[in-house]
Amino acid sequence: MPYHRLKSQCGYSLIELIIVVMIIGLIAGIAVRSLRSSNEVSRTNATLARMDLLASAIAGNPDRVSGGVRSDYGYVGDIGSLPPTLDALVTDPGGLATWRGPYVTDKFGNGGPDYTFRQDAWGVPFQYSGGASIVSTGSGTTLTRHIAASVEDLLYNSVTLAITDVERVPPGSTYRDSIRAVLVYPDGAGSYRWRSATPDAGGRLEFDSIPAGLHRLHIIYLPDSDTITRLVNVDPGRTFYTDITLTRGLH
């Protein structure tokens, strides 16, 4: 009896090929969506980092401390006003003697010190017009970085003093005119303002509308021109308060 060997039928049917192609397409689609999502997260994080850098350039970094005292108040601390544009952070906007920039450098690209800081990671310029927030719209949604709760918190704070003599006795109505407090701070126009005031009978006085920053305070006993000088930290949205003790008795 003759022996006939059956031939093996190899290969895929059309339906099997279609299924394989569909699976490959599905996997590729998932990979593309995952890569796109990862890129968006990366761009969002880079944008937030740039906005943090700009906020610190404008109002300073509270974590920078020297001798136990905050030392960085950025553009606001040097000028006494908000920058009119982001360009003012790298270029003196108009012959300001108190400008100590650049306050920001290019950490995110190769465009030099005044390039990528002005735009988000999608290449869209940040929206900033001298207020208390920076806005990014490059992602298609709005990302907002608040520099402070309000412009008032950055520019209109208070310094309150309580002055007594070496025996902790306030000057009273007799000696209050013998004491002069002078606060020196940037005037917002590239120079300094020297504001002076005398305490009330209880030794208290207040300076209002003070920009955030590290400012000089002089307490002068006028009869002897004896002066105490201190630095005062005016933080955004806070009242600075300190007790001043003169080196002499007034009574």
Side-chain angles (χ1 to χ4, degrees):
M1 180 177 179
Y3 177 78
H4 298 283
R5 186 171 60 183
L6 296 175
K7 293 183 179 181
S8 174
Q9 299 297 319
C10 298
Y12 299 99
S13 69
L14 178 61
I15 293 176
E16 288 173 327
L17 289 174
I18 292 174
I19 292 174
V20 170
V21 171
M22 290 176 62
I23 292 173
I24 292 174
L26 180 62
I27 293 174
I30 293 173
V32 168
R33 286 195 297 271
S34 177
L35 180 60
R36 185 181 298 120
S37 176
S38 176
N39 286 338
E40 287 301 294
V41 170
S42 177
R43 287 179 176 179
T44 297
N45 289 338
T47 296
L48 293 175
R50 295 183 191 184
M51 295 169 84
D52 285 343
L53 183 71
L54 291 172
S56 293
I58 292 170
N61 184 347
D63 294 329
R64 290 185 180 176
V65 175
S66 177
V69 176
R70 176 176 171 176
S71 59
D72 180 18
Y73 289 89
Y75 184 99
V76 170
D78 288 344
I79 306 300
S81 65
L82 286 158
T85 66
L86 295 180
D87 286 335
L89 297 174
V90 295
T91 305
D92 184 345
L96 305 179
T98 60
W99 191 87
R100 296 185 179 90
Y103 298 91
V104 62
T105 55
D106 180 19
K107 294 184 178 181
F108 305 99
N110 300 316
D114 61 348
Y115 182 64
T116 58
F117 80 93
R118 287 194 257 111
Q119 60 190 34
D120 60 26
W122 293 271
V124 177
F126 288 116
Q127 295 179 11
Y128 176 79
S129 57
S133 62
I134 305 164
V135 175
S136 162
T137 59
S139 66
T141 61
T142 299
L143 300 175
T144 302
R145 174 59 160 89
H146 295 290
I147 304 166
S150 66
V151 170
E152 287 71 21
D153 282 355
L154 292 168
L155 302 181
Y156 303 105
N157 301 287
S158 298
V159 172
T160 301
L161 311 176
I163 303 173
T164 59
D165 68 9
V166 70
E167 297 175 349
R168 299 287 185 176
V169 177
S173 58
T174 302
Y175 296 97
R176 59 180 294 271
D177 291 337
S178 298
I179 301 168
R180 180 72 50 81
V182 180
L183 185 63
V184 185
Y185 58 92
D187 65 358
S191 189
Y192 290 101
R193 183 176 181 186
W194 294 64
R195 277 179 63 184
S196 64
T198 56
D200 62 20
R204 294 180 64 88
L205 64 86
E206 178 180 297
F207 295 99
D208 60 8
S209 301
I210 307 300
L214 186 62
H215 309 313
R216 283 177 293 154
L217 173 68
H218 305 287
I219 306 297
I220 307 168
Y221 180 62
L222 297 174
D224 296 337
S225 297
D226 189 15
T227 303
I228 298 172
T229 299
R230 291 187 181 179
L231 293 176
V232 298
N233 284 84
V234 180
D235 292 328
R238 297 184 179 180
T239 295
F240 177 88
Y241 175 87
T242 188
D243 293 306
I244 304 291
T245 303
L246 302 176
T247 58
R248 63 184 65 248
L250 299 177
H251 299 272

